[in-house]
Amino acid sequence: MLDLLRAMFVVHGRARRLSAARLAVTVVVAGSGAIATVDPRVAPAVTTAGAIWATLYSLGLASWASRQAVRGATIQEMFDRKLYGFQWNKAIADEPIGHEDINGLAAKYRGAADMIKGYYEVPLLPQPYDVAACQLQNLGWGSRVRRRYARLIVILLTAWAIAGLSVGVAMNLTVFELLLRWYIPALGALLLGLDTYRSQQDVVRERERAIRLLRDAIEKKLDGEQLRGALDRIQDVIFLTRRHHVRVPEIFFKAFRSSDRADFNSAVSELAARVERVTS
């Protein structure tokens, strides 16, 4: 089980690095637009570079990191389903990754031990409410981190657009000149930002819907097997949100980890109290 977590972090780390490299190139190309605005001599080269990068992005460059995200999500799903005692769902997931590949990936893990030990922090609850507590923590934490990331994307895109207008007015540029020198070189960055914002918001909506379904299932006082069935379907939602979208940069997780942990431990404690009312 610990090897599955180690392998998962290794693969997700690769996906993050690919995304970071893609973002770095995009930002460099976009930033060159500011240079072109000041020095028109480099404008043709900058415009061409921006158009090429936007084309490459549209043609599938973004899928490189997505393939790693799918692999990481599959490993994480292997861990969760084994932990919860759920059967593998072949209808939505690829085949589980072989043990030899898991072992090879796990050996490359260089992260902190506390990232994998005690991966889920839940109180002692009767089955399957312990599974519900793990899922609640997972869904809530993921939603908060992704919402935080999406909010930053909007701020950066808005700041870039306003900066372009300000430069255009200050330099008395025509609309065509402003588009040519500032916005077209940044087209790849704008596409990436909009795509990232939209995808993160989609994940947040799906995860928040799953939280409502989870709470409703508990309130309905279903018997053990019925509740397990409901939680199994919720696990499908968790996997799909992991599969289709690369995780956010790790700094958004680590920077707020302590406060987020306290908040979600409180949420799990509230769930435990609710379970006690339902089962009493």
Side-chain angles (χ1 to χ4, degrees), residues 73-84:
T74 301
I75 297 173
Q76 196 166 2
E77 185 72 357
M78 291 168 62
F79 174 84
D80 280 350
R81 287 193 171 270
K82 187 174 181 180
L83 179 67
Y84 304 155

Side-chain angles (χ1 to χ4, degrees), residues 195-213:
D195 183 54
T196 300
Y197 173 78
R198 183 171 56 252
S199 64
Q200 298 299 337
Q201 288 294 93
D202 288 344
V203 172
V204 169
R205 281 193 292 270
E206 282 298 299
R207 285 181 166 245
E208 290 180 342
R209 182 175 67 86
I211 290 176
R212 292 193 296 270
L213 292 174

